[in-house]
Amino acid sequence: MSSTASGKTSGKTGGKNATWRNWAGTVAARPAREVAPASAGELAEAVRRAAEDGLRVKAVGSGHSFTSIAATDGVLIRPDLLTGIRRVDRDAMTVTVEAGTPLKRLNAALAREGLSLANMGDIMEQTVAGATGTGTHGTGRDSASIAAQIKGLELVTADGSLLTCSERENPDVFAAARIGLGALGIVTAITFAVEPLFLLRAREEPMPFDRVLADFDELWAENEHFEFYWFPHTGNTNTKRNNRSAGPERPVGRWKGWFEDEFLSNGVFQAANWVGRAVPATVPAIAQISSKALSARTYTDIPYKVFTSPRRVRFVEMEYAVPREAVVEALRELRAMVGRSRLRISFPVEVRTAPADDITLSTASGRETAYIAVHMFKGTPYRGYFTAAERIFTAHEGRPHWGKLHTRDVAYLSRVYPGFGQFTALRDRLDPDRRFQNDYLRRVLGP
């Protein structure tokens, strides 16, 4: 491959015009060049070189965002060499990790150290910087998103400077950069709060949709982590309640785990979606079968083995954060919309919660939040469903997940985020020439 990086840069540099695609296949980009720096210094040099050449710069992670938030026709930064744990501070109960480290590697490494994050999302393929920068979250009554567990950040700004921030050092940057959308700089390292490794008892069981809605506040209040999946065209849900446990550890058996989590939830579900895509009229019947395929189960394991699941069936997704008190009404409206439409939806709707946090552009910023995520199997028409669902969510002042499909722009987003102006003012200071700009950021943050 031809090298276009400075001779000072020992990290890998890719050839020109290689096409980058995200996991879902919704975004493709052809950058002018790719660079894989091996240190924060090399990344800073790559940013300075891009400025000299008049090119924009974006960093990509694992490509699990459905939006074009990481796409660029300039310099694409791959963090493949920026991985690993820098240090574990047991006095402060923190871990500092390189930005390109996949969450699955971080989780496993922490477990070996007898440590854990307090909460996480339902997959762990993303890099730590990609996950936090787009606001990845799980579900929790009291424990918030992955970004809310950040205690410190290191990032390269547009002039090639290395900036560190925390509650005490550059606190204005810290307030925003924990979910920075790649607009303030390129994160090179993150310091997370951690705690001693603990056990979670998971209780998964089917429950009628109407009962979940009627008892939602109670289910939320009684469980540390509550979520459920509703299968459109049915009155059925699968619920999941995760609570801390004194043990003993009782993980899902190897055979049972393979059968339910791989064979049924991935293999059979994949085949069912192929059938539904080919013959949409079969989708309601398939949904009835899918919603009853998994039986109730209870197990106890370390956190990341309970919070996360393998997701091998490819899909597209839109997710909105609505005020928690509005979620039941929004779900009723969603069910009514699906019922009167001709839509055929083979993927369940996922519902989770989060407490209010203080991150400027967090979807849970300043308010108790519930998340409603709608999905469609890759290759099936999704715009009609997503447009109708988005109309419902925005009527409740919903905030779209930054890494998932939506049509909102700066005019809307500036109204639903009280701190929006502070974020854009900080962006003006840190990146006045828009070195980290792309089409997505232009739409959601303005030019």
Side-chain angles (χ1 to χ4, degrees):
M1 294 180 132
S2 61
S3 175
T4 54
S6 164
K8 299 177 182 178
T9 302
S10 59
K12 296 185 295 185
T13 302
K16 294 183 178 181
N17 299 322
T19 299
W20 172 84
R21 290 181 173 84
N22 66 344
W23 176 85
T26 54
V27 179
R30 191 177 287 267
R33 64 176 177 255
E34 295 184 11
V35 181
S39 67
E42 290 181 2
L43 197 157
E45 174 65 16
V47 171
R48 288 191 288 268
R49 280 293 310 278
E52 292 170 5
D53 296 339
L55 296 172
R56 307 289 186 195
V57 186
K58 298 302 296 181
V60 299
S62 62
H64 270 268
S65 289
F66 299 87
T67 64
S68 57
I69 191 168
T72 186
D73 59 1
V75 178
L76 189 74
I77 303 293
R78 290 190 177 273
D80 305 31
L81 304 179
L82 295 173
T83 62
I85 291 178
R86 284 191 187 177
R87 63 183 174 273
V88 176
D89 186 335
R90 292 186 181 274
D91 293 329
M93 288 303 287
T94 61
V95 59
T96 301
V97 61
E98 301 284 351
T101 307
L103 282 168
K104 59 185 176 185
R105 287 182 55 187
L106 173 61
N107 286 330
L110 287 175
R112 288 193 297 270
E113 295 283 341
L115 301 169
S116 177
L117 296 173
N119 199 358
M120 61 196 73
D122 58 9
I123 65 169
M124 53 179 180
E125 304 304 313
Q126 313 100 309
T127 62
V128 294
T132 56
T134 55
T136 295
H137 62 90
T139 189
R141 182 191 60 207
D142 308 306
S143 54
S145 70
I146 301 176
Q149 298 169 66
I150 293 176
K151 305 300 288 184
L153 278 173
E154 175 187 278
L155 69 161
V156 171
T157 56
D159 63 359
S161 300
L162 191 62
L163 182 70
T164 58
C165 57
S166 65
E167 290 180 346
R168 295 184 300 276
E169 186 176 10
N170 297 304
D172 57 337
V173 179
F174 182 70
R178 284 172 286 172
I179 300 179
L181 316 185
L184 305 177
I186 298 178
V187 174
T188 55
I190 299 174
T191 298
F192 290 104
V194 293
E195 56 183 286
L197 190 66
F198 55 93
L199 293 174
L200 283 172
R201 181 177 184 270
R203 179 182 172 189
E204 301 174 4
E205 64 178 333
M207 190 177 292
F209 183 71
D210 287 331
R211 181 185 162 195
V212 173
L213 295 194
D215 296 346
F216 182 82
D217 286 340
E218 182 179 346
L219 289 164
W220 169 81
E222 292 181 348
N223 295 282
E224 293 175 74
H225 309 273
F226 173 71
E227 64 184 303
F228 71 93
Y229 296 84
W230 167 56
F231 294 79
H233 313 297
T234 82
N236 306 323
T237 77
N238 282 336
T239 64
K240 185 172 183 179
R241 286 170 267 191
N242 300 330
N243 292 284
R244 297 200 183 204
S245 168
E249 189 172 336
R250 289 197 179 96
V252 177
R254 180 175 296 181
W255 162 250
K256 185 177 177 66
W258 175 86
F259 181 75
E260 294 182 340
D261 297 329
E262 288 291 353
F263 180 72
L264 290 179
S265 296
N266 284 291
V268 173
F269 189 55
Q270 173 88 53
N273 275 278
W274 282 334
V275 173
R277 185 172 63 187
V279 188
T282 64
V283 166
I286 291 172
Q288 288 287 347
I289 296 169
S290 297
S291 68
K292 298 173 182 177
L294 297 176
S295 58
R297 66 179 183 177
T298 301
Y299 56 96
T300 304
D301 213 330
I302 60 176
Y304 81 86
K305 294 184 179 180
V306 174
F307 285 131
T308 67
S309 303
R311 294 282 188 266
R312 311 200 196 287
V313 182
R314 304 227 171 188
F315 55 86
V316 294
E317 180 178 0
M318 178 176 71
E319 181 179 61
Y320 266 77
V322 300
R324 188 175 60 79
E325 62 271 18
V327 67
V328 170
E329 180 59 28
L331 287 166
R332 289 191 175 120
E333 292 170 5
L334 186 66
R335 177 175 60 175
M337 179 274 290
V338 171
R340 65 176 176 263
S341 74
R342 300 179 66 182
L343 296 168
R344 295 294 178 262
I345 302 155
S346 60
F347 252 81
V349 173
E350 183 179 22
V351 181
R352 296 175 286 177
T353 67
D357 65 42
D358 62 352
I359 305 172
T360 311
L361 290 189
S362 166
T363 46
S365 182
R367 72 186 190 190
E368 294 277 351
T369 294
Y371 295 95
I372 306 174
V374 296
H375 314 71
M376 286 291 275
F377 184 51
K378 182 180 177 181
T380 57
Y382 65 86
R383 295 186 188 280
Y385 176 35
F386 284 14
T387 297
E390 190 173 40
R391 192 175 297 121
I392 293 168
F393 303 149
T394 55
H396 292 282
E397 296 191 336
R399 298 167 178 170
H401 189 298
W402 298 108
K404 299 177 184 179
L405 296 174
H406 67 92
T407 66
R408 300 299 89 186
D409 61 14
V410 61
Y412 176 86
L413 295 165
S414 62
R415 288 191 285 107
V416 296
Y417 282 98
F420 194 89
Q422 288 96 312
F423 187 96
T424 55
L426 180 63
R427 182 188 184 213
D428 287 342
R429 175 160 66 86
L430 294 180
D431 186 16
D433 298 324
R434 300 296 186 260
R435 186 63 47 208
F436 305 118
Q437 178 78 291
N438 64 4
D439 289 343
Y440 179 80
L441 294 184
R442 188 175 293 108
R443 171 164 67 92
V444 300
L445 297 179

